[in-house]
Amino acid sequence: MRPRIIPTGLLSVLLLLSSLVSQAQTPAVRARVAQAVDMRNLITLRGNVHPLARPEFDQGAAPDDLPTERMLLVLQRGSDQESSLRQLLDQQQVQGSSQFHQWLTPEQFGQQFGPADSDLQAVTNWLSSQGFQVTKLAAGRTAIEFSGSAGLVRQVLGTEIHKFRVNGADHWANVSDPQIPAALAPVVVGIASLNNFPRKPL
């Protein structure tokens, strides 16, 4: 049997239609960073201090040039995305549903449930403008990895890195909750890895 040859013009139309269908199936993610990023208007990210970073273990402030590598700016979903995600998770478990066991790749998850491109740009632009190196965006758009120094953490994030001696071992950790511009609050929930205490295994 000879293969069917699709005329070039018709092929272009088919590709355009399939692209439009694909776009229609993935609704545009609403941008949530609606204000200019202003370092004079800051908010505190609560709950971002390690429980062992306590005064009785404190050995003093870190030098400004201490490298702070692989910090994670943790991103959050919008309320509409959270609702859609819960619905999807429910439908993925229902036999007969068109979504039954239709798992998403990390990239697909990020496109549907991560921040909008413009929001990510606003966050990464802010980090870079303050002197941090943005090194990686998680595939699922759940976190942005960045690096800098203890001095930058103090100047930009408003918290000092101190040395803590716990059970004979030395660790570095922030002594207070970090701060970020209020304009970024709709997409940023916290900053992980401001310390090098070992993580407990699951």
Side-chain angles (χ1 to χ4, degrees):
M1 179 182 290
R2 294 178 60 190
R4 291 182 60 192
I5 299 176
I6 301 176
T8 304
L10 179 58
L11 180 60
S12 298
V13 171
L14 289 173
L15 289 173
L16 176 62
L17 287 174
S18 66
S19 172
L20 291 173
V21 169
S22 173
Q23 290 176 12
Q25 289 175 337
T26 306
V29 175
R30 180 176 58 86
R32 286 174 279 144
V33 177
Q35 302 173 356
V37 177
D38 186 351
M39 287 298 292
R40 295 168 298 180
N41 184 16
L42 303 175
I43 63 150
T44 300
L45 299 172
R46 304 290 179 193
N48 286 270
V49 178
H50 195 278
L52 290 177
R54 303 204 299 259
E56 61 265 34
F57 302 138
D58 197 336
Q59 303 296 303
D64 277 355
D65 60 356
L66 178 78
T68 52
E69 299 176 341
R70 302 192 69 183
M71 294 177 285
L72 295 176
L73 200 68
V74 183
L75 307 174
Q76 63 179 335
R77 291 179 284 278
S79 56
D80 52 339
Q81 290 176 308
E82 192 65 40
S83 176
S84 297
L85 177 57
R86 290 182 182 278
Q87 290 178 0
L88 174 63
L89 293 174
D90 289 341
Q91 290 300 310
Q92 286 176 332
Q93 307 302 323
V94 176
Q95 289 192 18
S97 166
S98 61
Q99 301 293 333
F100 181 64
H101 285 187
Q102 296 296 307
W103 315 122
L104 302 178
T105 65
E107 291 76 15
Q108 290 171 327
F109 182 91
Q111 287 294 326
Q112 282 188 247
F113 303 113
D117 291 342
S118 61
D119 291 342
L120 291 174
Q121 193 67 54
V123 174
T124 55
N125 284 350
W126 170 69
L127 287 169
S128 297
S129 71
Q130 299 303 310
F132 290 111
Q133 292 84 48
V134 177
T135 51
K136 185 178 179 182
L137 170 65
R141 296 190 176 206
T142 54
I144 295 172
E145 183 181 300
F146 66 106
S147 299
S149 66
L152 273 178
V153 169
R154 176 175 50 79
Q155 295 166 17
V156 180
L157 303 178
T159 181
E160 289 189 349
I161 302 295
H162 281 211
K163 179 188 286 186
F164 294 88
R165 182 163 296 155
V166 181
N167 296 327
D170 289 338
H171 304 279
W172 300 105
N174 54 306
V175 297
S176 60
D177 285 319
Q179 296 179 320
I180 62 166
L184 302 179
V187 293
V188 177
V189 70
I191 302 178
S193 301
L194 279 175
N195 66 78
N196 67 353
F197 283 105
R199 296 183 180 182
K200 293 182 178 179
L202 297 175

